[in-house]
Amino acid sequence: MTEEALHYSELYEKAIDLQEKGNTDQAIKTFLTIINGEMTKKNETVIKKKEESIYRLGKLYADNQDSTSIIELNKTVRPFFKDLPKAKTAKIVRTLIEQVGLIKGTANSQIEICKESIEWATQEKRTFLRQRIESRLAGLYFDKKDFTEALSLINKLLREVRKLDDKALLVEIHLLESKVYHALRNLAKSRAALTAARTDANSIYCPPLLQAEIDMQSGILHADEKDYKTAFSYLYEAFEGYSNLSHENAVMCLKYMLLCKVCTNHPDEVQSILSTKTALKYTGREVDSMRAVSVAYQERSLHSFEDALREYERELKLDPIINTHLSELYDNLLEQHLLRIIEPFSRVQITHVAKLIELPRQQVERKLSQMVLDTKLNGILDQGNDCLIVYEETKKDQCYPAAIETMENMNNVLDSLFERAKSLTK
């Protein structure tokens, strides 16, 4: 080992020792000395120590919630990149971007470091690295709900990446495209993008995390199409994948699985799913919120349903996917309640119905008028007298349809006989 390599090794050991003792400031200074130090001659040991110092310093900044220093470090280390292979350079840049992502509330800082890194990668003609950072940037725009910017970047990326035929990156971009279109409620394009992602994923080795993301998106789309059984199957696969990787999305998948059971009128199965060994790891408010919803739906209790929505507002209403389906469940429950209350009456005051169901009169009137228009209720609203007039269901006389069907069959028989007689006279 050369004198220079020994010097850098000693500095690196000293920095680690300071870090372990909790002397963070001195450790940061020592790591920076290693990173900024000039090499008189290219040495593998020195390069390795510099590389490890970058990773450790980035982690230290992330632990200290210092995103600005990580952005600055990303710029400082660039002269060192000329001594590294392109693959290692890409790994360092992507790691530093990910470390900024570990700090909460740094969406703008992440976008800043991505844009700055894309600019540098374009100048250095690092195409593959630039495309991956652009994919990350599109994901950040999606998280920020800036869908226009995200789609613009995705479309540009897809044109480039298709030419290079980078299947792994294509899968990620198509999956992100599917998520963006789903957020915009364009389900046809979302489904098409997901199909493209699945097709590309089948032709390569797909990492477990990416496969779980694809399955989760498939489950969400099937749930939107009211195909809850298929949605449950996909979400179960995704849940298994995330659970094996101890990923934070596992609990979201579990929530969506329970939602599918409630939507298929099987709320009684929710408890059996929550009793499984895998699901027991995720007990908490997220799971409790869906348990409360399933109990309310099983009891057909509108007030218990409303109580669950109030108590677990953050877990239920702030999740757009859960909120959409729960709104439909609430409407179904409200309709069933109203029909049960109205059943004995032929004419009833709206105020009286509102009193019986214990809901505001305006809400009840609005729902009744909607049910009349949707032909779910055979009647009219007499707003002048504040009452609902319910008509008796008239049974259809099956005699006439049967007579018409007989005549049609007779006509077909006569046509057939006429054709045969015609062929005999020739």
Side-chain angles (χ1 to χ4, degrees), residues 58-248:
K59 192 175 183 304
L60 264 175
Y61 285 143
D63 292 341
N64 292 344
Q65 309 286 301
D66 190 353
S67 59
T68 315
S69 296
I70 299 176
I71 294 168
E72 201 54 47
L73 176 65
N74 188 45
K75 295 175 188 174
T76 330
V77 296
R78 280 173 192 163
F80 169 59
F81 287 162
K82 67 180 186 291
D83 299 318
L84 286 176
K86 284 186 177 182
K88 281 193 175 180
T89 304
K91 189 185 173 187
I92 289 170
V93 173
R94 286 164 70 186
T95 304
L96 289 174
I97 292 169
E98 280 165 17
Q99 282 170 339
V100 175
L102 295 173
I103 305 166
K104 285 184 180 178
T106 56
N108 292 330
S109 300
Q110 288 179 69
I111 289 169
E112 185 191 330
I113 192 173
C114 282
K115 281 182 174 176
E116 206 271 325
S117 298
I118 288 165
E119 202 177 302
W120 171 79
T122 308
Q123 287 170 0
E124 295 290 316
K125 295 179 181 175
R126 309 271 179 114
T127 311
F128 287 99
L129 175 59
R130 175 181 59 78
Q131 287 170 346
R132 271 158 180 77
I133 300 170
E134 281 181 337
S135 173
R136 176 69 186 249
L137 181 60
L140 290 168
Y141 282 137
F142 168 68
D143 293 338
K144 205 182 171 187
K145 294 187 170 40
D146 191 349
F147 303 126
T148 312
E149 284 288 342
L151 277 177
S152 169
L153 198 52
I154 285 166
N155 291 332
K156 173 182 167 286
L157 265 173
L158 282 172
R159 283 195 298 273
E160 285 184 28
V161 179
R162 277 197 193 109
K163 288 175 188 174
L164 297 168
D165 202 31
D166 185 348
K167 297 282 187 191
L169 187 56
L170 268 173
V171 173
E172 290 178 28
I173 297 166
H174 277 306
L175 181 60
L176 181 59
E177 185 187 16
S178 176
K179 288 178 181 177
V180 173
Y181 278 124
H182 179 261
L184 292 167
R185 306 308 298 164
N186 190 336
L187 296 183
K189 284 192 174 182
S190 179
R191 207 179 304 111
L194 185 65
T195 305
R198 278 197 170 282
T199 307
D200 290 329
N202 288 338
S203 60
I204 57 162
Y205 165 73
C206 193
L209 181 59
L210 187 59
Q211 186 59 56
E213 283 182 34
I214 292 170
D215 287 335
M216 186 174 176
Q217 185 65 11
S218 298
I220 290 166
L221 282 174
H222 277 287
D224 279 344
E225 291 163 5
K226 306 286 184 288
D227 185 0
Y228 295 113
K229 284 187 179 178
T230 312
F232 181 84
S233 302
Y234 276 119
L235 289 166
Y236 182 77
E237 290 295 324
F239 175 63
E240 289 281 296
Y242 282 132
S243 189
N244 291 336
L245 296 164
S246 301
H247 197 274
E248 58 184 5

Side-chain angles (χ1 to χ4, degrees), residues 358-424:
E358 293 176 16
L359 284 175
R361 184 196 168 282
Q362 215 170 6
Q363 186 185 342
V364 171
E365 187 180 348
R366 190 165 58 245
K367 188 65 193 171
L368 286 170
S369 64
Q370 188 186 329
M371 287 167 73
V372 170
L373 290 168
D374 293 343
T375 65
K376 290 176 182 176
L377 177 63
N378 188 17
I380 58 162
L381 283 174
D382 184 354
Q383 286 178 316
N385 296 315
D386 180 40
C387 68
L388 169 75
I389 301 165
V390 185
Y391 299 135
E392 281 187 28
E393 290 288 333
T394 51
K395 288 184 180 179
K396 286 183 181 177
D397 195 336
Q398 296 300 318
C399 181
Y400 295 110
I404 290 167
E405 193 182 344
T406 307
M407 290 162 88
E408 280 178 356
N409 290 335
M410 287 280 287
N411 188 44
N412 291 337
V413 169
L414 287 168
D415 285 345
S416 177
L417 287 168
F418 179 74
E419 288 295 325
R420 284 187 183 185
K422 200 176 176 183
S423 62
L424 287 169

Side-chain angles (χ1 to χ4, degrees), residues 299-366:
E299 292 172 353
R300 302 286 174 197
S301 170
L302 198 64
H303 297 294
S304 298
F305 200 95
E306 285 179 330
D307 290 343
L309 290 177
R310 268 195 300 272
E311 190 181 343
Y312 300 101
E313 187 175 2
R314 190 179 65 82
E315 290 80 10
L316 299 173
K317 286 193 175 179
L318 296 182
D319 185 327
I321 295 159
I322 295 272
N323 191 34
T324 305
H325 293 285
L326 286 186
S327 299
E328 290 174 17
L329 284 174
Y330 181 80
D331 280 349
N332 290 339
L333 213 53
L334 181 55
E335 282 173 13
Q336 287 168 22
H337 261 261
L338 285 169
L339 287 170
R340 198 158 57 241
I341 288 167
I342 294 160
E343 196 176 3
F345 302 100
S346 59
R347 186 186 181 98
V348 60
Q349 281 192 317
I350 297 166
T351 315
H352 182 61
V353 176
K355 191 179 175 183
L356 288 172
I357 204 167
E358 293 176 16
L359 284 175
R361 184 196 168 282
Q362 215 170 6
Q363 186 185 342
V364 171
E365 187 180 348
R366 190 165 58 245

